[in-house]
Amino acid sequence: MRPLSTLLLSILAFSGIAQTFEEKTIEIGNIGLNVTNVGTLGRPNVRNTPDGAPSMEYPLNSGIEHLFEGGLWIGAQVDGEIRVSTSAVDAASGYSTGRSGFEFSATAPILERSTLTYSDYFSASAISHQDMVVKITDSNVVVPGTGIPIDNHDYPLGAVVTQEVYAWNYSFADFFVIVNYEIENKSNERWDSIYCAWWSDMLVRNVNVTQDGGGAFFSKGGAGILRDETSFYVYQVLGDDLAYTRSYGATRVLGIEWGDDFFHPSNAKTFLDKGLTPPRVSYNFWEYGSTTGLTTFPANDNAKYAVLKKSLGDQITDYDKRLKQASNKIQLISLGPIPSIEPGEKINFVIALVCAKQLYDPNATSTSDTEFARQELQEHLDWAKRTYIGEDLNENGVLDEGEDLDEDNKLDHYILPEPPNDPKVKFIPGEDYVDIYWQDNALNSIDPISKKKDFEGFKLYRSNVGDDQNLDLISASNLIAQWDSTGNKIGYNNGFEEIRLKEPVEIEGEEYTFYYRINGLLRGWQYMFILTAFDEGDDELGLEPLESSFSTNNFRVFMGSQPAEATEDLEIGVYPNPYRTSAAWDGEGSKNNKIYFYNLPANCTITILTSAGELVDQFEHDAATYSGSDIRWYNDLGGSEERRVFSGGEHAWDILSSSGQGLAQGMYLFSVKDHSSGKSFQGSFAVLR
């Protein structure tokens, strides 16, 4: 048993000033991940409040969630006694102050950093486009600043953990985050036979669509193990939202950095040659709430340490088959054993959280989870690994000849080749067209590895009309145009003369060099446009051409009339008129309807009345700031507010009264008062049920 004096010193050393619970969102790429300052990842209440921050959403703004809570486990033997400290465990409502199993306390606010020079969080010490840094400790047995004891946490390890979450916006890296746990032994006792693990409640559900709640929400998941890839994954088997998910969530163990050694099964020979136990990954799943059999929650430190050491699959013959059956499974993936960690010594335990589309396998019979269906997941897992290992191409933890890509004489992790910079773009929609202007900032991009200006060209993508309810419009967007350099074997060799302006055009104080117009678009529908830049690749490194970010350069554009001058003969109207429930562009439910007022002045007040003159609703239109945020359709189906582009002379209305009631069938009147001239215009429209 741990000496009382040591325990008191630990408590005094880390009690400090209480840190208020804090959470922030990773959202630089195509994953939205909730990060807290107590060491948990995810937002357990996302199923009840889907309009809040994401938990682990992919694609971003789709409603498809993959994680409800996750956190670090550390197990070790201290003077012959087993101790396990956990930052998250099975709990219906997730983290709560002092709750058993949530044994880490915050020691600082969340620190955000970025390698992007234009970011408000730019820092020379940043690793990725968006870092979230959290500092926690298990050394407190009472929640700092309170009298609340942490249940069942009498013998902490005395660990101080710096959790760093890294995310990128590149199109080939925006589907994963990497979590680096720097774990320091701050006690005065040696730890022996150490295991590090990631505990999680991962499950794929679309929280915008499903009506399931409680146990029914969590009981639809299947799972699997990729032993060669040191990964587990989850997917959806059943559910009312199945057609709106088809996605994978996965965790990959990337390794432990222990002194000068890289601790990972791929480097087992190094440890065998030293006479040490080779690195081993253990995979464990158990049924949430189960109280019998092997697949139950390990309720004490001895049971937790046992699952850290050994996979349940080693004890159950049909384990892989059981994983595919729909149920509420909790996951644990661990790596160990590190022989010992002395007081003051540090290790780094690194994992990746990865998402991917579940591809449709036309040959699948009994299950949708096949090797074919996992092809994209496999690619994404590989990119996460490639990003982490950086220069360590043979994964031996040593800088070998030919591996020092940046010539700084040290082994660097987290190295990604860089595509050209995102082109800065401006969309100006008209009634049936959109004008696209963009700058030439991508042309002078220099790859940090090859040191070359390797810009090759631009690609323009667009979604199809009728895709309004597609929650993943990025993936639904099609390449409609490409321009690239001449005189090589890459792309079309069609050059840039078609799009290069003779003289730059100034818009809102900025100069734009390139221009392209797309005609034949339909007003009232949303189109997603994505403009990217790509490079020429690198034959020496075996790299295909790399493309800039889809997630930071996509815009949902709505065609329509430009702001109108309030002349006497101005005709302001409504479409569709008559409105029939429900129009093809409407969402599900009465609160996801919309009609459009068109030919509006730039600043005006719109008033809707019944045919008897009773007020139904009234709202303001400002062409410069209108984003559709006043009606639910845009918030559910229109993507992020800052990436919507409207024509300025149109305003959508949700066909609800000011009290939120749906309109009865009948004729309605409207008036529009122009703020500039004071003139008013009248019209009417019909609602048919």
Side-chain angles (χ1 to χ4, degrees):
M1 182 173 290
R2 187 177 190 179
L4 181 60
S5 60
T6 302
L7 178 61
L8 289 174
L9 283 172
S10 178
I11 295 170
L12 291 173
F14 293 101
S15 56
I17 300 173
Q19 293 291 326
T20 303
F21 179 81
E22 182 186 14
E23 50 192 342
K24 288 190 173 184
T25 303
I26 290 280
E27 53 185 352
I28 195 70
N30 211 13
I31 283 184
L33 177 66
N34 196 60
V35 179
T36 77
N37 66 335
V38 294
T40 62
L41 298 177
R43 188 169 72 88
N45 200 38
V46 69
R47 69 188 188 278
N48 299 323
T49 56
D51 55 341
S55 185
M56 188 171 123
E57 183 184 42
Y58 176 84
L60 198 64
N61 300 312
S62 69
I64 304 173
E65 292 288 358
H66 302 76
L67 171 72
F68 296 88
E69 195 159 45
L72 174 70
W73 283 24
I74 311 170
Q77 297 180 30
V78 182
D79 196 21
E81 178 186 76
I82 288 175
R83 298 179 189 166
V84 179
S85 290
T86 59
S87 66
V89 295
D90 306 23
S93 56
Y95 170 82
S96 179
T97 303
R99 175 172 285 165
S100 177
F102 295 87
E103 298 170 348
F104 283 83
S105 306
T107 65
I110 299 174
L111 171 66
E112 185 168 353
R113 307 180 305 210
S114 176
T115 58
L116 300 172
T117 55
Y118 58 78
S119 170
D120 293 338
Y121 300 98
F122 172 72
S123 169
S125 60
I127 301 297
S128 71
H129 293 159
Q130 189 178 26
D131 297 0
M132 292 289 185
V133 182
V134 171
K135 294 184 179 294
I136 54 176
T137 180
D138 76 330
S139 299
N140 301 302
V141 297
V142 174
V143 178
T146 76
I148 302 173
I150 301 174
D151 286 349
N152 300 316
H153 185 52
D154 297 327
Y155 304 105
L157 282 165
V160 170
V161 177
T162 301
Q163 171 192 283
E164 299 190 348
V165 185
Y166 309 136
W168 291 264
N169 67 19
Y170 298 144
S171 58
F172 55 90
D174 64 0
F175 37 73
F176 65 82
V177 299
I178 292 177
V179 188
N180 175 22
Y181 293 100
E182 181 193 80
I183 302 167
E184 182 177 4
N185 179 356
K186 290 290 284 188
S187 75
N188 58 6
E189 299 168 293
R190 188 183 70 218
W191 302 344
D192 295 309
S193 298
I194 303 99
Y195 290 85
C196 299
W198 164 254
W199 172 97
S200 62
D201 185 358
M202 294 186 83
L203 179 74
V204 179
R205 294 302 300 264
N206 191 311
V207 295
N208 286 348
V209 175
T210 181
Q211 299 299 306
D212 287 340
F217 180 88
F218 288 97
S219 62
K220 308 297 194 299
I225 297 170
L226 300 173
R227 290 175 174 82
D228 292 343
E229 304 299 329
T230 59
S231 307
F232 68 65
Y233 63 90
V234 298
Y235 59 99
Q236 187 172 354
V237 176
L238 302 170
D240 55 355
D241 57 323
L242 186 60
Y244 295 91
T245 56
R246 296 202 60 80
S247 188
Y248 284 111
T251 299
R252 180 166 194 164
V253 169
L254 296 173
I256 294 177
E257 298 161 30
W258 174 43
D260 294 328
D261 290 315
F262 177 58
F263 193 82
H264 188 273
S266 65
N267 198 28
K269 186 177 184 301
T270 297
F271 299 93
L272 286 169
D273 290 346
K274 293 180 179 182
L276 300 175
T277 302
R280 182 175 64 251
V281 173
S282 295
Y283 311 86
N284 283 284
F285 294 79
W286 56 81
E287 304 295 333
Y288 178 83
S290 175
T291 57
T292 60
L294 288 170
T295 56
T296 61
F297 171 66
N300 55 52
D301 279 5
N302 285 338
K304 290 173 182 174
Y305 192 73
V307 296
L308 289 173
K309 290 178 62 177
K310 190 172 184 179
S311 298
L312 277 177
D314 297 338
Q315 307 167 58
I316 302 173
T317 56
D318 62 345
Y319 193 54
D320 287 347
K321 181 178 179 181
R322 291 175 63 173
L323 291 179
K324 292 183 178 294
Q325 297 171 353
S327 65
N328 184 1
K329 300 176 183 69
I330 302 298
Q331 310 91 31
L332 184 77
I333 186 168
S334 60
L335 176 60
I338 297 289
S340 65
I341 300 178
E342 299 290 342
E345 189 177 356
K346 299 177 182 179
I347 62 172
N348 284 71
F349 172 54
V350 189
I351 65 168
L353 303 180
V354 183
C355 292
K357 287 190 298 183
Q358 185 182 43
L359 304 183
Y360 173 70
D361 187 348
N363 298 316
T365 54
S366 60
T367 176
S368 58
D369 176 42
T370 64
E371 185 175 350
F372 180 90
R374 293 192 298 271
Q375 282 184 346
E376 183 173 289
L377 175 63
Q378 183 66 62
E379 293 172 4
H380 291 188
L381 288 167
D382 289 346
W383 266 113
K385 173 185 172 181
R386 181 175 191 163
T387 300
Y388 168 67
I389 64 173
E391 294 177 332
D392 191 14
L393 301 180
N394 59 5
E395 299 179 71
N396 66 352
V398 177
L399 184 63
D400 295 313
E401 185 177 353
E403 289 185 338
D404 193 9
L405 299 177
D406 58 0
E407 300 177 350
D408 63 353
N409 295 315
K410 65 179 182 178
L411 184 65
D412 296 311
H413 292 285
Y414 311 110
I415 291 182
L416 277 168
E418 293 187 9
N421 296 327
D422 300 316
K424 184 156 187 180
V425 62
K426 180 75 173 178
F427 293 91
I428 302 178
E431 290 199 15
D432 61 356
Y433 66 89
V434 62
D435 287 330
I436 309 171
Y437 295 87
W438 65 98
Q439 298 181 354
D440 61 1
N441 56 302
L443 275 65
N444 295 314
S445 303
I446 299 176
D447 188 275
I449 296 177
S450 68
K451 310 299 183 184
K452 297 187 300 184
K453 288 185 180 180
D454 58 357
F455 168 81
E456 172 63 22
F458 300 107
K459 292 184 179 182
L460 179 64
Y461 300 83
R462 195 202 76 191
S463 64
N464 292 323
V465 65
D467 280 342
D468 285 56
Q469 295 187 58
N470 191 324
L471 298 176
D472 183 12
L473 273 183
I474 289 181
S475 296
S477 297
N478 306 294
L479 180 66
I480 62 170
Q482 176 174 318
W483 306 273
D484 54 67
S485 303
T486 59
N488 59 32
K489 297 179 180 180
I490 304 169
Y492 300 151
N493 277 253
N494 54 348
F496 306 105
E497 292 308 309
E498 178 188 13
I499 55 174
R500 192 188 298 273
L501 293 165
K502 293 182 179 180
E503 296 291 338
V505 171
E506 183 174 310
I507 303 174
E508 297 175 355
E510 296 196 74
E511 285 192 349
Y512 292 84
T513 308
F514 298 100
Y515 165 77
Y516 188 66
R517 170 176 283 196
I518 300 176
N519 293 300
L521 304 175
L522 300 180
R523 60 197 296 178
W525 299 85
Q526 70 167 329
Y527 294 87
M528 174 166 281
F529 288 95
I530 306 168
L531 182 70
T532 65
F534 65 99
D535 64 26
E536 60 190 25
D538 193 316
D539 291 338
E540 292 182 9
L541 296 176
L543 288 176
E544 295 293 323
L546 299 177
E547 197 169 354
S548 64
S549 173
F550 282 60
S551 57
T552 62
N553 225 23
N554 66 79
F555 295 85
R556 299 186 186 225
V557 183
F558 297 80
M559 308 311 125
S561 56
Q562 292 294 320
E565 184 180 350
T567 59
E568 295 294 338
D569 58 350
L570 176 63
E571 294 185 6
I572 298 175
V574 171
Y575 68 91
N577 189 7
Y579 171 82
R580 293 177 173 85
T581 307
S582 119
W585 56 45
D586 284 345
E588 298 292 332
S590 61
K591 294 186 178 181
N592 260 330
N593 301 331
K594 66 181 187 301
I595 62 175
Y596 288 90
F597 292 87
Y598 65 90
N599 282 349
L600 295 172
N603 292 277
C604 57
T605 299
I606 302 169
T607 304
I608 296 101
L609 307 166
T610 67
S611 57
E614 297 171 333
L615 179 65
V616 174
D617 199 8
Q618 186 176 78
F619 47 90
E620 300 298 316
H621 173 72
D622 183 345
T625 61
Y626 178 63
S627 66
S629 60
D630 53 339
I631 71 172
R632 182 169 168 178
W633 188 96
Y634 290 99
N635 295 325
D636 285 355
L637 301 170
S640 58
E641 184 176 349
E642 65 272 14
R643 297 190 185 281
R644 300 177 202 148
V645 181
F646 288 87
S647 55
E650 304 210 351
H651 196 113
W653 181 54
D654 55 11
I655 323 174
L656 297 174
S657 69
S658 57
S659 61
Q661 300 300 308
L663 269 62
Q665 178 171 295
M667 184 67 69
Y668 292 85
L669 310 175
F670 70 84
S671 69
V672 175
K673 184 174 182 179
D674 175 35
H675 293 175
S676 178
S677 66
K679 295 178 181 177
S680 293
F681 305 85
Q682 287 76 38
S684 64
F685 62 92
V687 173
L688 303 179
R689 294 289 177 182

